[in-house]
Amino acid sequence: MGYAQLVIGPAGSGKSTYCSGLYQHCETVGRRINIVNLDPAAENFDYPVAMDIRELISLEDVMEELGLGPNGGLIYCMEHLEDNLHDWLDEELENYLDDDYLVFDCPGQIELFSHVPVLRNFVEHLKRKNYNVCVVYLLDSQFMTDVTKFISGCMASLSAMVQLELPHINILSKMDLVRDKRGINDYLDPEPTVLLAELNQCMAPQFQKLNKALIELVDEYSMVSFMPLDLRKESSIRHVLAQIDNCIQFGEDADVKVKDVDPDDDE
């Protein structure tokens, strides 16, 4: 049984920084993880790259040869990956043990995890290869400055949850840059009546029914919640990683290690 994180989120949300911080943490505690680059436009990395989609296809080559723009070129690259899952990906996975832990650093184009089926087909392939997969959705904590942005972030996360149908952990990244953490805390455990009142105040009166439906969706079904992550704090990384490990049942089939204890000498 293999284990995998699919790290997604909008561009600039800190996905690669999260992967780098996670790798450094695991290296410190003596735990092995492998970071996989799935972004054909990536150039610089702060972590060792175990697998790299650019060995299969790169955005720069696609844009030059096909005359596509950045967005169209990225979609083309990811669809090319989808067409080569049984060749390139399976060949790369053969280099890893059955119980290895992979972290896939994905592109930030929202179409890939909202309505284009590429990532869904990718994770279905991983599941057929006997991998337990968890989605790690990152959202910039500085984005959560008012109720309209909070609802927008919830809807984007919910769209990814519906599209991918996987265990899902939502993370507020870049908490080290937040000055007013009390404002962020209001959205970690929000009061629905307060949210609705704030939303109605920001929006025109004709949106009140829509606002009520959105708040009820977020509240009653408890489908979206966020965990703050401060990469400066080992305790924060440990807490997030523990939640992810629990989602993918990492370590549950490991043998229990019993430490031998010498009996006390008789007095």
Side-chain angles (χ1 to χ4, degrees):
M1 176 68 70
Y3 305 92
Q5 295 183 29
L6 193 73
V7 183
I8 65 175
S13 58
K15 296 181 294 297
S16 294
T17 303
Y18 162 80
C19 290
S20 176
L22 185 64
Y23 179 85
Q24 294 174 16
H25 169 77
C26 290
E27 189 176 47
T28 299
V29 300
R31 174 172 167 178
R32 179 181 175 182
I33 65 169
N34 306 281
I35 312 293
V36 180
N37 174 46
L38 283 188
D39 187 353
E43 295 180 355
N44 302 312
F45 303 95
D46 292 329
Y47 53 79
V49 180
M51 288 185 266
D52 193 345
I53 190 178
R54 296 177 304 167
E55 296 176 358
L56 173 68
I57 190 170
S58 73
L59 178 60
E60 183 179 1
D61 292 341
V62 168
M63 293 173 61
E64 181 178 348
E65 294 180 13
L66 301 181
L68 296 174
N71 291 337
L74 184 56
I75 294 294
Y76 181 92
C77 289
M78 299 307 292
E79 290 178 344
H80 184 73
L81 168 65
E82 183 180 8
D83 292 337
N84 287 272
L85 292 177
H86 294 285
D87 297 324
W88 179 78
L89 182 61
D90 287 355
E91 184 178 340
E92 291 289 338
L93 291 177
E94 289 177 359
N95 298 321
Y96 298 91
L97 302 175
D98 291 339
D99 60 348
D100 269 337
Y101 198 114
L102 305 178
V103 178
F104 293 92
D105 188 0
C106 297
Q109 193 169 14
I110 195 169
E111 291 94 328
L112 297 175
F113 47 85
S114 61
H115 58 273
V116 174
V118 172
L119 287 182
R120 179 185 178 93
N121 294 334
F122 179 83
V123 296
E124 289 296 330
H125 186 78
L126 284 177
K127 288 161 69 175
R128 288 193 294 269
K129 300 295 289 186
N130 206 29
Y131 276 83
N132 282 353
V133 187
C134 174
V135 170
V136 178
Y137 185 95
L138 269 69
L139 189 66
D140 189 338
S141 57
Q142 298 184 86
F143 185 81
M144 310 288 272
T145 55
D146 59 52
V147 66
T148 55
K149 292 183 178 180
F150 171 74
I151 294 299
S152 176
C154 287
M155 293 301 103
S157 172
L158 183 56
S159 176
M161 292 172 66
V162 171
Q163 173 72 12
L164 297 173
E165 296 185 17
L166 288 171
H168 203 98
I169 298 291
N170 295 305
I171 294 177
L172 285 183
S173 60
K174 305 182 184 180
M175 285 297 294
D176 54 307
L177 302 179
V178 176
R179 295 182 179 179
D180 181 15
K181 289 186 169 57
R182 289 180 299 177
I184 294 292
N185 290 334
D186 291 340
Y187 297 115
L188 295 179
D189 187 20
E191 174 60 42
T193 55
V194 175
L195 287 181
L196 182 58
E198 292 180 359
L199 196 57
N200 286 336
Q201 188 175 6
C202 296
M203 306 289 287
Q206 60 264 35
F207 292 104
Q208 288 190 2
K209 289 185 178 180
L210 176 61
N211 294 340
K212 185 174 183 293
L214 291 175
I215 295 298
E216 289 177 350
L217 177 66
V218 173
D219 176 58
E220 293 182 11
Y221 296 93
S222 300
M223 298 184 75
V224 180
S225 60
F226 293 91
M227 296 178 58
L229 174 63
D230 186 341
L231 289 174
R232 301 173 305 173
K233 301 178 180 179
E234 289 293 315
S235 59
S236 181
I237 301 175
R238 281 198 308 270
H239 179 62
V240 167
L241 186 55
Q243 296 297 318
I244 296 170
D245 288 345
N246 183 59
C247 278
I248 57 178
Q249 300 176 319
F250 175 76
E252 290 190 4
D253 56 351
D255 295 333
V256 177
K257 297 180 180 179
V258 180
K259 182 177 180 180
D260 293 332
V261 179
D262 295 333
D264 294 334
D265 294 332
D266 295 333
E267 295 182 357

